[in-house]
Amino acid sequence: MAEHLIEFRNIKKRYGSVDALGGVDLYVDKAEVLGLIGDNGAGKSTLIKILAGVVKPTSGEISVRGSPVYGWNAARSREVGIETVFQDQALALQQSIIDNVFMGRELVGMFGWLKAKRQFAEADRLMREIGFTSKAFTPHSIVGQLSGGERQGVAIARAMYKQVDLIVLDEPTTALSLTETAKVFHYVRQVRASGHSIIFIDHSIHHVFDIADRFAVLDRGKIVLETDRSEVKSVQELIGFMEHVAHPATDVQLPRRGSRWASALTDQADKSPPRSPTGEDSEVEKGWRQFSGQWLRRFVFEHRAALGTLAVFLVMMSIFVAANPAVFTTWSIYSSVLTTLPVALFVVVPLVFVVAGGEIDLSFPAVMGFASWAFALLVQAGFDPLIAMVAAILTGLVLGFCIGMLVVYAGLSSLIATLGMNFLLRGLIQIVNEGRSIALVTLGNSLSYKLFSSVILDVPVQILWAVGFVIFATLLYNRHRFGAHVKAVGDNPDSARQMGINVKRVRVRLFVFMGVGAAIGGTFSTMINLTWWPTAGDGYLLPVLTSVFVGGTPAWGGVGTVMGGAIGALTVASIQTGVVAAGLSGFYVQFFYGLIIILSLLGHRWNQIRYR
């Protein structure tokens, strides 16, 4: 007899005095679809979790290709080629198809940089292989914009990418319309044709009958019926077999009308869940369906938040220029903005990562002050400013790590914990220094000052470093494994965890990155002023937060734009200078702050949709 792909022998699972599984014998052969049917409480969920390695059986034996496997767990399950697509699909709805297919196992090159072209080609191949033939979407399409059946297809494609032998589909047609269910059936048939096996678990006996090669009925923790598709002519006959098992006196050809099998397991008139919050295709979704294959339109769509922020900035500057052309057509006004803008950029950029990762950090002003304090003390003591800068960055790194550990492993709210750390660190600075500043009179003659805070051709050097930092962070966010993990964790941490991403480590790294950025920003601020003040960083809390949200990074996590945050920082930095230079009083500054924030948020609300 040919060996089975997977076989369960007398699998039992006991929870206290309750037998969830009472000795299950079940097997799956290569390239077949096994339909597993069972009512609520029959033991399907327990059996799935054992198969996935999430739950250990109390007793019994699991064999793979005829050989017993010992020490069964999630890792062993994956090693032998089993992938489970749970009912929630473990998808990150605000990410692209590519991001979901490769979540937790990205194709990377040296130093963790993504192989974007290869991922695109592989995702496209997988989607076409399982039957995605529509030209309405590409691997770059957002999963939240797909229908329920198409989302199941993405989950199946992700399972196939692992080159598994057996895919377990848990209730894949729940809440799907007939059209969407047909799509899922098509994907399943394509997977079977490619040589994979599938366990198809569903409440609806009609769905199972239409797709399965063999049927197994689970009732009260035991397999009560197994039969091949060739032995059953109709759904009614299958129900009759099931009724005969439950009630041996019943004629198998005449299933009882209204029986629990016929009523509980028959198909329900499901409807597809709404595609958008309004229940209809949004304007963004309608437009999205026209972007396939058009690079420019796709670029505009993917960067619409940053481009919207840029449009707001240009409108604002147009108003300022019209108000006072003589001032705003000279370079000096822009040079003054570019002198201090880098400090904000070094803090705004990592905060975009933090917010996209589903967290918030309000401790960065005090971290700026603390790290720049370390820099000032070392310079005052006669150390080379370069060494002092390294020490300041290490100080920010350590502080960020401590804050991250406090939030992640102590389980504290990031909002409250970081606000508390801001007060604690600032209080410590004030207690030690008693309000005294540190003047760095020799710093202006150093090589470090010329490298990081001088002027070349009327352009402040620090803006060049800041632009380089923004470019690096943009690539890190969009083209590196760390950025992919940040978005996955911020979008759906449970999905990220199921896909093997170390969620806690990613969250700690977010605060470390924030600490490093704050340290660099604080150091540059001290070099610009040639003086360290105990209040260093205090004035950046609200402008930096405003820059992040004006730039198009929403507060719900999973979505962010580094370039948008940088443009937001430029917008915020230009408001006060622009208002005064336009001849208006300082009272207008707050008015323009509010106006720009409201206009930006309205624009982002129109072109951004939350899919979870």
Side-chain angles (χ1 to χ4, degrees):
M1 182 178 66
E3 62 186 27
H4 302 303
L5 179 64
I6 304 290
E7 185 174 8
F8 279 9
R9 296 193 187 98
N10 197 29
I11 294 295
K12 297 181 180 180
K13 181 60 184 178
R14 188 176 183 85
Y15 294 101
S17 60
V18 178
D19 288 321
L21 295 178
V24 171
D25 294 308
L26 187 68
Y27 68 89
V28 183
D29 286 329
K30 183 176 176 59
E32 78 163 350
V33 178
L34 172 65
L36 183 61
I37 309 168
D39 204 352
N40 289 330
K44 299 193 306 298
S45 296
T46 302
L47 188 61
I48 294 168
K49 291 176 180 178
I50 290 177
L51 193 59
V54 177
V55 171
K56 291 184 178 181
T58 303
S59 62
E61 183 180 86
I62 300 174
S63 296
V64 178
R65 300 178 188 87
S67 301
V69 179
Y70 302 101
W72 188 260
N73 54 29
R76 295 289 287 162
S77 176
R78 289 191 293 267
E79 285 175 8
V80 301
I82 299 175
E83 178 70 14
T84 303
V85 179
F86 290 100
Q87 190 170 349
D88 61 3
Q89 304 164 345
L91 296 176
L93 299 185
Q94 295 174 133
Q95 310 309 311
S96 69
I97 292 175
I98 293 177
D99 293 332
N100 276 274
V101 168
F102 295 98
M103 186 189 300
R105 50 188 184 277
E106 296 79 10
L107 300 178
V108 297
M110 189 176 296
F111 305 118
W113 296 105
L114 299 178
K115 296 181 178 179
K117 291 183 178 179
R118 185 177 168 190
Q119 286 193 161
F120 178 91
E122 187 69 12
D124 185 68
R125 180 190 66 79
L126 287 169
M127 303 309 290
R128 303 305 168 188
E129 186 174 319
I130 67 170
F132 272 65
T133 57
S134 172
K135 296 182 179 180
F137 54 83
T138 75
H140 289 297
S141 300
I142 303 301
V143 169
Q145 294 174 328
L146 304 181
S147 66
E150 290 164 346
R151 293 179 189 179
Q152 282 288 354
V154 173
I156 293 171
R158 179 168 62 189
M160 289 183 63
Y161 167 67
K162 293 183 177 180
Q163 298 182 340
V164 298
D165 295 313
L166 174 63
I167 300 175
V168 182
L169 299 180
D170 179 20
E171 305 284 357
T173 61
T174 298
L176 297 186
S177 66
L178 293 177
T179 301
E180 296 303 320
T181 298
K183 289 182 181 179
V184 175
F185 287 174
H186 176 65
Y187 303 148
V188 170
R189 292 188 179 101
Q190 292 294 109
V191 172
R192 176 180 56 192
S194 65
H196 299 271
S197 299
I198 292 175
I199 296 181
F200 191 96
I201 303 163
D202 208 297
H203 278 79
S204 171
I205 192 171
H206 286 278
H207 291 173
V208 176
F209 185 83
D210 286 342
I211 197 65
D213 303 308
R214 192 162 52 86
F215 309 103
V217 179
L218 187 65
D219 186 31
R220 298 180 179 90
K222 294 184 178 181
I223 298 294
V224 297
L225 175 67
E226 279 190 84
T227 182
D228 289 334
R229 179 69 174 79
S230 59
E231 298 175 355
V232 184
K233 298 178 181 179
S234 66
V235 173
Q236 291 299 315
E237 187 174 2
L238 178 58
I239 295 175
F241 282 135
M242 295 160 62
E243 280 297 315
H244 180 67
V245 172
H247 305 279
T250 303
D251 186 345
V252 298
Q253 300 298 327
L254 297 172
R256 297 187 305 159
R257 185 181 301 274
S259 68
R260 70 184 181 92
W261 291 115
S263 60
L265 298 176
T266 50
D267 190 20
Q268 303 297 320
D270 296 324
K271 293 185 178 181
S272 182
R275 299 270 306 279
S276 71
T278 62
E280 300 178 354
D281 281 357
S282 67
E283 292 301 318
V284 173
E285 291 172 324
K286 292 175 182 177
W288 160 77
R289 294 188 176 275
Q290 302 173 6
F291 291 161
S292 177
Q294 301 185 40
W295 179 87
L296 181 59
R297 289 187 176 184
R298 183 168 65 82
F299 176 84
V300 172
F301 179 74
E302 291 181 352
H303 299 87
R304 61 193 184 279
L307 293 174
T309 305
L310 179 60
V312 171
F313 171 74
L314 293 176
V315 170
M316 182 188 75
M317 293 306 298
S318 299
I319 295 173
F320 289 155
V321 171
N324 195 337
V327 173
F328 285 96
T329 53
T330 60
W331 174 248
S332 59
I333 187 71
Y334 302 103
S335 179
S336 65
V337 172
L338 297 181
T339 299
T340 56
L341 175 62
V343 178
L345 289 176
F346 284 121
V347 185
V348 168
V349 166
L351 189 58
V352 169
F353 280 74
V354 172
V355 175
E359 302 290 349
I360 190 67
D361 189 349
L362 303 182
S363 67
F364 66 84
V367 174
M368 291 175 68
F370 206 96
S372 59
W373 180 27
F375 170 78
L377 288 174
L378 290 176
V379 172
Q380 187 184 48
F383 285 89
D384 187 286
L386 283 176
I387 296 177
M389 288 186 69
V390 173
I393 293 173
L394 289 176
T395 300
L397 186 151
V398 171
L399 289 174
F401 177 78
C402 293
I403 293 169
M405 295 292 287
L406 191 65
V407 171
V408 175
Y409 288 96
L412 302 182
S413 163
S414 59
L415 175 67
I416 305 302
T418 58
L419 185 61
M421 286 298 295
N422 185 52
F423 284 118
L424 188 151
L425 293 175
R426 184 65 65 186
L428 181 61
I429 292 172
Q430 296 287 10
I431 290 171
V432 174
N433 291 277
E434 297 181 343
R436 292 188 297 267
S437 62
I438 301 176
L440 305 175
V441 293
T442 61
L443 183 60
N445 300 322
S446 66
L447 175 63
S448 299
Y449 183 84
K450 294 178 181 178
L451 287 175
F452 299 109
S453 193
S454 60
V455 177
I456 298 179
L457 300 177
D458 289 332
V459 177
V461 171
Q462 56 265 34
I463 192 62
L464 302 179
W465 289 100
V467 169
F469 183 73
V470 170
I471 294 173
F472 168 76
T474 300
L475 294 174
L476 188 68
Y477 187 81
N478 295 306
R479 292 290 184 266
H480 194 272
R481 179 167 49 197
F482 176 63
H485 288 182
V486 167
K487 288 179 282 188
V489 169
D491 191 334
N492 192 332
D494 292 332
S495 296
R497 193 175 293 109
Q498 287 185 36
M499 292 299 105
I501 296 176
N502 190 326
V503 173
K504 290 185 176 180
R505 183 169 60 190
V506 171
R507 293 172 64 198
V508 170
R509 287 178 175 177
L510 287 173
F511 290 100
V512 170
F513 187 32
M514 186 73 244
V516 170
I520 297 174
T523 302
F524 268 79
S525 176
T526 302
M527 295 183 74
I528 292 170
N529 297 309
L530 296 177
T531 303
W532 174 82
W533 300 93
T535 56
D538 259 357
Y540 284 93
L541 180 60
L542 292 181
V544 166
L545 290 173
T546 301
S547 300
V548 171
F549 296 120
V550 165
T553 297
W556 56 71
V559 181
T561 164
V562 174
M563 197 60 67
I567 298 172
L570 176 61
T571 303
V572 171
S574 301
I575 289 177
Q576 185 167 2
T577 303
V579 167
V580 175
L584 301 174
S585 71
F587 296 111
Y588 282 86
V589 172
Q590 290 189 5
F591 170 79
F592 270 93
Y593 269 130
L595 180 63
I596 295 302
I597 291 172
I598 296 300
L599 290 177
S600 298
L601 293 180
L602 284 174
H604 298 323
R605 177 65 183 88
W606 174 78
N607 65 24
Q608 287 183 331
I609 298 175
R610 185 176 184 177
Y611 294 104
R612 60 174 177 83

